[in-house]
Amino acid sequence: MTDAMQTAGDTEIFDRVESQVRSYSRSFPRLFTKARNAKIHGADGTEYIDFLAGCSSLNYGHNDPDMKSALIDHITSDGLTQGLDLFTNAKRDFLAAYENIILRPRNMNYRMQFTGPTGANAVEAAMKLARKVTGRQFIVSFTNGYHGVSLGALAATGNSGHRGAAGVTLSGIHRAAYDGYFGPDVDTAEMLDTQLSDPGSGIDAPAAIIVEAVQGEGGLKAASADWLRKVQAIARKHGALLIIDDIQAGCGRTGTFFSFEEIGLDPDIITHAKSISGMGLPMAAILIRPEHDIWKPAEHNGTFRGNNHAFVTARVALEKFWKNDRFEKAVKEKGDHLASRLEKIAQNHGLSARGRGMMRGVNAGSGERAEAICKECFKHDLIIETSGPHDEIVKVLCPLTIEKEVLDAGLDVMENAFATVFGQSHLAAAE
Amino acid sequence: MTDAMQTAGDTEIFDRVESQVRSYSRSFPRLFTKARNAKIHGADGTEYIDFLAGCSSLNYGHNDPDMKSALIDHITSDGLTQGLDLFTNAKRDFLAAYENIILRPRNMNYRMQFTGPTGANAVEAAMKLARKVTGRQFIVSFTNGYHGVSLGALAATGNSGHRGAAGVTLSGIHRAAYDGYFGPDVDTAEMLDTQLSDPGSGIDAPAAIIVEAVQGEGGLKAASADWLRKVQAIARKHGALLIIDDIQAGCGRTGTFFSFEEIGLDPDIITHAKSISGMGLPMAAILIRPEHDIWKPAEHNGTFRGNNHAFVTARVALEKFWKNDRFEKAVKEKGDHLASRLEKIAQNHGLSARGRGMMRGVNAGSGERAEAICKECFKHDLIIETSGPHDEIVKVLCPLTIEKEVLDAGLDVMENAFATVFGQSHLAAAE
Amino acid sequence: MTDAMQTAGDTEIFDRVESQVRSYSRSFPRLFTKARNAKIHGADGTEYIDFLAGCSSLNYGHNDPDMKSALIDHITSDGLTQGLDLFTNAKRDFLAAYENIILRPRNMNYRMQFTGPTGANAVEAAMKLARKVTGRQFIVSFTNGYHGVSLGALAATGNSGHRGAAGVTLSGIHRAAYDGYFGPDVDTAEMLDTQLSDPGSGIDAPAAIIVEAVQGEGGLKAASADWLRKVQAIARKHGALLIIDDIQAGCGRTGTFFSFEEIGLDPDIITHAKSISGMGLPMAAILIRPEHDIWKPAEHNGTFRGNNHAFVTARVALEKFWKNDRFEKAVKEKGDHLASRLEKIAQNHGLSARGRGMMRGVNAGSGERAEAICKECFKHDLIIETSGPHDEIVKVLCPLTIEKEVLDAGLDVMENAFATVFGQSHLAAAE
Amino acid sequence: MTDAMQTAGDTEIFDRVESQVRSYSRSFPRLFTKARNAKIHGADGTEYIDFLAGCSSLNYGHNDPDMKSALIDHITSDGLTQGLDLFTNAKRDFLAAYENIILRPRNMNYRMQFTGPTGANAVEAAMKLARKVTGRQFIVSFTNGYHGVSLGALAATGNSGHRGAAGVTLSGIHRAAYDGYFGPDVDTAEMLDTQLSDPGSGIDAPAAIIVEAVQGEGGLKAASADWLRKVQAIARKHGALLIIDDIQAGCGRTGTFFSFEEIGLDPDIITHAKSISGMGLPMAAILIRPEHDIWKPAEHNGTFRGNNHAFVTARVALEKFWKNDRFEKAVKEKGDHLASRLEKIAQNHGLSARGRGMMRGVNAGSGERAEAICKECFKHDLIIETSGPHDEIVKVLCPLTIEKEVLDAGLDVMENAFATVFGQSHLAAAE
C-alpha cells in the first residue's frame, strides 16, 4: 500500500482536487477498483453490471485475459512503451494483423495514420486532410453528430452544450440533416444534393461529408443503408471526400467490424478510436485511401501517436475476435436478443426502441425520465447512461463480449427501472 | 510468435500500410524492439543511446522497473484500464500523491482536469476555459511557440509547416514576440504591454497569455526569469489569465518539477502532458486555480480522459522521484554537466549552446548541417533530433535518469559528429 | 467640352483603365449619356427602354424632375453636400418626412441609423447590432439570399461566385432553406424551427434571422405570407431578432412601401438602400426598434453616412409618391398587368413566371437561354438582365413609374425575344 | 417650404428618430444649413470655420463653385445619376482625366475598380483581391491603422471601440507595429521582416501588407519615407502585395496627390475614397496594377459603384486642381504654415505636434484635455475634432483650399483654446 492510499471508498479528494468538469462520477459516485468483462467492482465490494463500457471503448469488455497477458509479456520484456512514430515490432505486428485480418478479407486498400490517441484528434486529422486534398474549406456534418470537442472537431459536433464552450466563432462546417431528421417522409440526402447542386444555395462545395452510420451521442439513430449510399454518391458527385466517423460505431459495435460493411460503402477516410486498442487504452487512427495520402512528413503529428501498449492489445483483439466469423455471429445474435428485449420494454410503456447491432436504446420521452431510470438502475447495481440531444435515450452500450446471463440480468434491472419510473409517473399523473 | 509476425527487422509493411505523414521513422529507419532507461534496442541487436526520449515524454527513461512493476500488478489484479472520468482507486491515489508531493509542498492550490490524453487537448481545454472565464476571444501566444496541431491549439502554434495544413483560417490568436526574439536589447514583454495598453493597437484585450518557459519545438529558447515575471504581471494588469504550457518543459525537464518554480510564477492554468504519466503512457491534464474552475459538467470531455494505467505509473513517478530533493539535485548536476559539454562543442565550432536544465541544444547554424550531424550520430548509434524554426538546433532531450556514463558516451558521439560535419564543411569550403 | 472628352461613343478607355471586374457593361456595351424615367439614351442617339433600373435602385425612374429640381435648389443654395452625421436641415427634413409619411401611418416605431451608403454596409450594421443585442454569434440566412459582398454580408449571401472570392473562411452564418426551396410540400420554416428547438442540431441559437420577402438576386422568389409570419414567430420563439433585408424589395417594388406590409410583419431591424434616395444616389439606412438601439456613439460609422444630396431627393420621393395611396395603387395595377403579360410569355413556352408586385421574371429554364433572350432584347433596345442561381430568370425590374405604353413596348420586345430564342432552340432541337 | 419643415434650428427629431450611434452631432449639436469652402452656417446664422472637413472628404472645401456648376449642368441635362457599372460619358470623362492628369504624368500604370462608394468597401475589395492573387489568407496591418468597420476591413482596423462591436471572431490579420510605435530606436519594419523570414514565427506568409502613409484616425502619425520603403521591400521579398490605403491621406492631403509620391513607392493596390469625388459625394475606387487585375466579372460588385454625380465632380476636381503644380505648391506652403503654428501651440504647453502636409495635429496629452479644447473651440465657432487611440490628438483637417486668413483665424481660436484649457488645468493643479 502506497502512502497516498486512503480509506477504501473515500472520494473526498475528488471534490477537493478534481475539476468540476467531471461528469460520469456524478451519476455513479462510487470508487471503482476492479473490472472484468462486463462487471465493475466498487471499493465496498459491490459488483456492477456495466452497460456503459467506456462509451463503447470497451467493446471486448474490461481486462480481456489474452490482452492482459500479451501486454504483461510486452512490459516484462521491456518492449517499447512510447515510440513516437518510430518503427517498433508492436506497431509492425498490429499493422500486419490489421492488413491480414481486416483489410485484405474485405478487399479494402487503405493506409493508416496513427494520430494523437483521441477520437477528436483522428477527426481533426481527417478534416485537415480532406481540406488539403480538395483545396476546399467547408465540411458537411450532420444534425446530432458528435465528433469531439477540440476546436476543429467541435465545429462539426452538434451538441450545443459543447459548442457553447468554444469561446470563438466555430467555422468551416455546413450542417445538413441526418437520416430521418425531418420525419420518415423527408429524404434529407436528396435535400443535401439539392443544396450542393445549387450554386446559389450558400452551401459551398465541400471538402468532405463526415457522417456516423449510427449516431452514438446523438441518440442511437441508425441511418438507413439507402441513405448512407446516397450520401456517398453525393460526396462523389460533388468532389467531396466521404469520411465515415467510425469511432463509436466501429470495431464490431454494430455487428460487423466497420459500421458500414454490409452497406457497401467505400469511404475516403475512416476514423478509429475508442475500441480499436481492444482493452480501452488510448489509441486512434485514420484509414486513408492511398491516393489521398498526400501528407508531408509530420504535417499532422502528436507525441502519443505511438502508444505501443495499445498496439499490443489492439493486435490481440484482431487475432482473437476477427480471424473468423464466430464473434461477429455471436454479436449479431446478442444484438437481436437485445433488440427484442428493448422493443418489449419500449412497448410496455408506449415508447420506441432504436439503434443497430449492440448499439441500442429506448427513448424514454424526456431527459428527466431517462435520468430517473438510470438512477433506478444504479440502485440495482447497473451502470447505464443516457444520450441524445435531450439526454432522453436510455442507452445500452454493454461489452460485445458480455455473457448472455449478465446481459439478461442487466436488462431485467432496466426493465424493472422503466416500470418503476413509469409507474411512479403514472401515479404522479394520477394524483 | 503470433501469425502476424514477420522477419525480424523487416519494415516493408510500414511503407505499404502506414501513412506518409510519419516522420521520426524517416530519420531512424530501424525496427526497435526493446528499451530500458536511456537505451533502445534494434531488432538486429544494436543498442542505441536515446537523446530524444519520446520528445521529453520519457523523462524517467524507458520502462522504469518500479512503474513496470506497479503497472503489472494493476493489470494482474484487474484494476480498471479505461475509467472514463469515474472515481477509481488509481486516479484517487494519483491525485493524492499529486496533492501531497507536488502541490502542498509548493503551496500551490489548484484543481486538476484530466483532458483527452494529448498535449493538444490540454491546450484546447486551457484556451477554452480562459475564454469562458474572461468572456474574451483572443489569446496571446508567442513566436516559435508550439502548442499542438488540433485546430484551436494550432492557431497558437508558430510553426508554418503545421499551420499550413489547417485548411481554414486560423483565428483567435494575437502573436507576440518571445523573450530575446528581436535581440538582447529589445524588451519584448514591454512591447506587449505597450500594445495591450493601447486601445488602438488592434491587439484586443486577451483571454489569456499562453507561454512556454523554455520553448522546446521552438528551438530550446529559455525565457529569462525577469521576462516571465513581466509577462505574468502583464496578464494580471490586463485581466488575462496566464497559461503556462508545461507540456515539454515540465515534469523535471528544467531541473524542477515545474519549469517556472524558481521563477516564482503563479499561473492561472498549467498544462501537463508528455512525461506526466512517468512511463510515456498517454495522459494529459490541466491545473486550474479554483476560482477559474467554472466548467459545467462534461462541458469539455473526451473518452480517454481516464487512462488508469497512466494514473498508476504517474503516481509511482511522483513517489519515486519527487518525495525529496535527491532527484532534483541530480538533474541539476547532470544539467550543468550537459551545459558545459554542449558549450564546449559549440565553442569548438564557433556556435552557441542554449537551453535550461536538461533541455539544451546547440545551434548548428543551419538545418542542413544539424540534419547531417544527427545522421552522423545515428551512424554511431545515437538517436538525436533537431528543433527550431529552421530545424537548426541539435537538441538533447535525454532521459533525466540517464546514467552519467551513458550521457557522456552520447555526448562523445555528438562531439565527434559535430567535428566530422564541420570538418567536412571546412573542407568543402576550402575547396 | 472638357479636355478629357473623346469621340462620342468611344469606350476604348474602359478596356484600358477600368478593372476587369465590370459586369453590366459587358452585356450592354454602349456609352450611355442621358436618362429620363424608363428610358436611357446612348451616345449614338439610340433610346433604350430600361427594365433593369439600377437593379431596383431607380424605382422612381431616372432623373425625376421634382427630385432634380429640389436637388439643384439645394446645390445652388450651398446646402451641405457631405455632412458626416451632423444635424443638417436636409437630414432633418428627410427624417421628419419619413416619420410622418412612412412610420406614423403604419404605426411603426423605429429609429433610423444612416450607415455607409451601400446595402452591404446596412447589412453589416444590422448583423453587428443583432449580435450585440443578443450576445450570440450565428445568424440564420437563406438559400439564394443576397445581402452584399463585404466580408460580414458575404457570409450571409448564397451566391457561390461571390462567396468564392472571400479568400478567408466565411463564418457566423447558419444556412436555412427559403420558402419552397425543397418544393411545395416541404415546410422549410417548420424545418428551421425543428433545428432551433433541438439542442443537438448544431444550429446554434441565432442572433438573428435575416430574410428577403422576395429574393431579388436569388431569382425573384417570393416567400408566402404564411411562411414569413412563421419565420417571424420562430425568431421570437428562439430569442433571435428578425431582420428584413428590404434593400431590393422595399421602397414600393412589391407594391407597398415595405415588402412585408400586407403580411403584417413586425421586424426588429429593416434594411434600406437602393431606391431609398429616390433618384439613385448612394444612401443606406437601417430601421431599429428603439429597444434594440443600444449602439455606443460611433460604434459603427462611415464617412459618407451623411449624403445630404440623397436626403433631399429621398424626402421628395416620400412626399411625391407616398403621401397618399395613388402611387401604391398604380404600382399594384401595373404589377398585375406585368404579371399577366409575363404569365402569358411563360405559357407560350411552357415556362413559369414568378415574383410579386413589380419584381417579376420568367424562368427561361437555363442560364444560356436567359442570356440569349436578354441579348435579343438588347438588339431591340431593351435593357434587361437575368438573376437566379443559374442566371436562368429573365427579370423585369423596370421603374415603378414607367409609363404604361413604355412598359408594354418593353414587354413586346421581351415576348418576341422569347419567341425568337425558343424558336431557334426548337429548330436546334429539331435538327 | 415642404410640410416636413420645422422651426429653424430645432433638432428634437434627431433624438426621437435617429439612432444613438450618431457621434459628431454630439460634439457639434447645431443644425447646419449651408456651407462654402471652409465655412459652415448654422440655422441660427452663426458661421463656423470647419477644421474637420468631412474627415478629409472635403479637401477642396464645401461646394466648390466649378463642381457645383458642372454637377448642375449634368443634372439639368438628364445625365445619368445611377449607372451601375455601365459605360457612361461621366465615367469615361473621369477615367480619361484620371489617366491624363494623374497616372501618366506620374508614370503610373494601374486599372481602376469602382467599388461600393465607401472607403470600407474599397478596403474589402483590395483585401479580397490580394488574397485571390496570392492564394494566401493573412494580411498584415498596423497598430492604430484604420480601414473601416465592415467585417473584413474591421479585422484590419486597430481601434478597440470598433473591434468590440464585431460580434464574431475577427480573423485573417496579423498585426505589426507602425513606424515609431516602440519609440525612435526600434525599427519596426526590420521586426516585421524578422518575423516574416522566420518559418516558426506564427506570422504566416501574407497576401498583403496594408498601410497608411499617415495614420489619420490613428492619431496623425506620419511614417518616415525610409520605413515605408522598407515595408514595400518587405512585401516584395515575401511575395505579398503592398496596399496603400490612401483614403484619408490621399487626394492632396499630404501635399501631393498620393500620400507616397515623394517617397517613391510603387504599390500593388491603392485605395481611394473620401475626397476622390472632389465635392464630398460618395465614391470609392481601388487602383490595381494590371497584372493583379484578375477579377472575374462581377466577382466583387455593389449597386452604387456607378455614382455618376461623383464622376462629374471628381473630374472637375482633377482638372481644376491637378493639371499643373499650382495647387500642390499652395498646399505645401499652407502645410508649412500650419506646421509652424501648431509647433508654436505645442511648445507653449510642452506638447508635441505631428503629421505631414495639411494632416496635422497636436497631442494634448489626454483625451479629456483634447475634448475640452475642442469644446472651447466650438464655443468660438470652430469645428475641430480629436483622433488617436485615446482621442488625445487635436486634429486639423481643414480644406486644402482654405483661405489663408480663415486658416489663421481658426488657428487663433485653437491657440486660445489651448491656453484656456491649459490655464485652467494649471490653476486646477495649483489649487
Side-chain angles (χ1 to χ4, degrees), chain B residues 54-379:
Chain B
C55 284
S56 202
S57 63
L58 292 164
N59 283 0
Y60 313 107
H62 292 272
N63 292 319
D64 177 87
D66 297 304
M67 297 181 202
K68 280 175 54 175
S69 163
L71 179 55
I72 289 171
D73 284 355
H74 180 83
I75 297 170
T76 304
S77 67
D78 282 331
L80 273 83
T81 300
Q82 144 68 308
L84 295 170
D85 67 355
L86 293 172
F87 298 147
T88 66
N89 53 342
K91 183 158 87 169
R92 186 194 61 179
D93 295 349
F94 167 71
L95 280 175
Y98 197 90
E99 186 180 39
N100 291 325
I101 301 171
I102 303 299
L103 296 179
R104 284 193 177 147
R106 290 166 180 77
N107 281 316
M108 292 170 75
N109 185 13
Y110 286 89
R111 296 230 186 98
M112 186 173 270
Q113 173 184 2
F114 299 104
T115 66
T118 69
N121 203 294
V123 168
E124 295 260 350
M127 290 172 73
K128 267 193 204 174
L129 183 59
R131 286 167 170 147
K132 184 177 170 73
V133 166
T134 61
R136 299 173 176 179
Q137 299 198 62
F138 279 88
I139 288 176
V140 172
S141 77
F142 290 94
T143 50
N144 301 120
Y146 182 88
H147 304 285
V149 300
S150 55
L151 200 66
L154 183 54
T157 289
N159 184 288
S160 58
H162 291 128
R163 294 175 65 79
V168 290
T169 309
L170 293 169
S171 67
I173 292 294
H174 285 303
R175 187 74 47 181
Y178 197 68
D179 192 20
Y181 190 76
F182 294 119
D185 299 334
V186 179
D187 184 341
T188 57
E190 201 180 292
M191 279 169 48
L192 177 59
D193 188 35
T194 298
Q195 288 179 303
L196 293 179
S197 302
D198 173 4
S201 71
I203 308 294
D204 305 85
I209 300 178
I210 185 167
V211 63
E212 301 159 280
V214 184
Q215 293 188 322
E217 299 308 301
L220 299 175
K221 291 179 196 150
S224 73
D226 185 49
W227 185 84
L228 286 166
R229 281 189 289 254
K230 275 191 196 169
V231 166
Q232 173 168 298
I234 290 165
R236 302 278 189 263
K237 175 178 169 187
H238 297 286
L241 270 53
L242 179 69
I243 304 172
I244 296 288
D245 186 343
D246 229 26
I247 290 172
Q248 182 155 161
C251 297
R253 178 54 63 183
T254 65
T256 49
F257 186 77
F258 295 105
S259 65
F260 53 81
E261 263 176 59
E262 298 180 325
I263 299 170
L265 299 185
D266 190 23
D268 297 283
I269 302 176
I270 302 163
T271 61
H272 269 324
K274 291 199 183 270
S275 278
I276 186 65
S277 81
M279 196 171 153
L281 295 171
M283 176 176 170
I286 61 173
L287 295 172
I288 307 165
R289 289 168 59 94
E291 65 267 32
H292 301 317
D293 183 29
I294 62 168
W295 287 115
K296 285 184 271 185
E299 206 171 5
H300 185 92
N301 63 2
T303 296
F304 292 125
R305 65 198 186 278
N307 181 2
N308 280 263
H309 286 195
F311 294 145
V312 169
T313 56
R315 174 184 54 75
V316 173
L318 297 180
E319 290 171 350
K320 179 169 181 178
F321 296 105
W322 297 101
K323 284 186 78 166
N324 57 46
D325 62 3
R326 249 170 302 168
F327 178 67
E328 204 169 324
K329 280 187 180 162
V331 172
K332 285 186 187 171
E333 276 170 35
K334 237 176 280 177
D336 291 343
H337 180 65
L338 173 61
S340 74
R341 287 213 55 182
L342 293 185
E343 198 54 55
K344 179 158 165 288
I345 293 174
Q347 284 174 5
N348 287 347
H349 305 287
L351 305 170
S352 67
R354 48 165 78 175
R356 189 149 69 83
M358 290 191 69
M359 192 173 183
R360 294 184 185 270
V362 176
N363 186 342
S366 78
E368 291 68 35
R369 216 184 257 154
E371 190 188 354
I373 291 163
C374 290
K375 275 200 170 154
E376 182 64 21
C377 288
F378 189 58
K379 276 192 212 161

Side-chain angles (χ1 to χ4, degrees), chain D residues 3 7 29 32 87 90 126 142 161 179 191 225 259 261-262 279 281 283 295 302 304 318 341 376 378 387 389 421 429:
Chain D
D3 63 353
T7 312
F32 299 99
F87 298 147
F142 290 94
D179 192 19
M191 281 168 48
S259 66
E261 265 176 57
E262 297 179 326
M279 195 170 153
L281 295 172
M283 177 175 169
W295 287 115
F304 292 126
L318 297 180
R341 287 214 55 183
E376 180 66 20
F378 190 58
S387 80
V421 167

Side-chain angles (χ1 to χ4, degrees), chain A residues 1-2 87 117 122 125 157 159 166 189 193 202 227 248-249 270 312 320 323:
Chain A
M1 173 172 165
T2 76
F87 298 148
T157 289
N159 183 287
D193 187 35
W227 186 85
Q248 183 156 158
I270 303 163
V312 169
K320 179 168 180 177
K323 283 184 78 165

Side-chain angles (χ1 to χ4, degrees), chain A residues 36-173:
Chain A
R36 189 87 185 228
N37 201 12
K39 295 276 185 70
I40 312 186
H41 296 248
D44 61 354
T46 312
E47 204 178 283
Y48 299 88
I49 296 176
D50 185 4
F51 272 21
L52 176 53
C55 284
S56 201
S57 62
L58 292 163
N59 283 0
Y60 314 106
H62 292 271
N63 293 319
D64 175 88
D66 296 302
M67 298 181 202
K68 280 176 56 175
S69 165
L71 179 56
I72 288 172
D73 283 354
H74 180 83
I75 297 170
T76 304
S77 66
D78 281 330
L80 273 84
T81 300
Q82 144 68 306
L84 296 167
D85 65 356
L86 293 172
F87 298 148
T88 65
N89 52 341
K91 184 157 86 171
R92 186 194 58 179
D93 296 348
F94 167 71
L95 280 174
Y98 197 90
E99 187 180 38
N100 290 326
I101 300 172
I102 303 299
L103 295 179
R104 285 192 176 146
R106 289 166 181 79
N107 280 316
M108 292 171 75
N109 185 14
Y110 286 89
R111 295 231 186 97
M112 185 174 269
Q113 173 183 4
F114 299 103
T115 67
T118 68
N121 203 295
V123 167
E124 295 259 349
M127 290 171 72
K128 268 193 202 174
L129 184 58
R131 286 166 171 148
K132 185 177 169 72
V133 166
T134 59
R136 300 172 176 179
Q137 300 197 63
F138 279 87
I139 288 175
V140 171
S141 76
F142 290 94
T143 50
N144 301 121
Y146 181 89
H147 305 285
V149 301
S150 55
L151 201 65
L154 183 54
T157 289
N159 183 287
S160 58
H162 291 129
R163 294 177 64 83
V168 290
T169 309
L170 293 170
S171 66
I173 293 292

Side-chain angles (χ1 to χ4, degrees), chain C residues 3 16 21 23 85 99 323, chain D residues 3 16 23 85 99 298 323:
Chain C
D3 61 356
R16 194 170 65 248
V21 78
S23 56
D85 67 354
E99 188 181 37
K323 285 186 76 166
Chain D
D3 63 353
R16 193 171 66 247
S23 56
D85 67 356
E99 186 180 39
K323 284 185 78 166

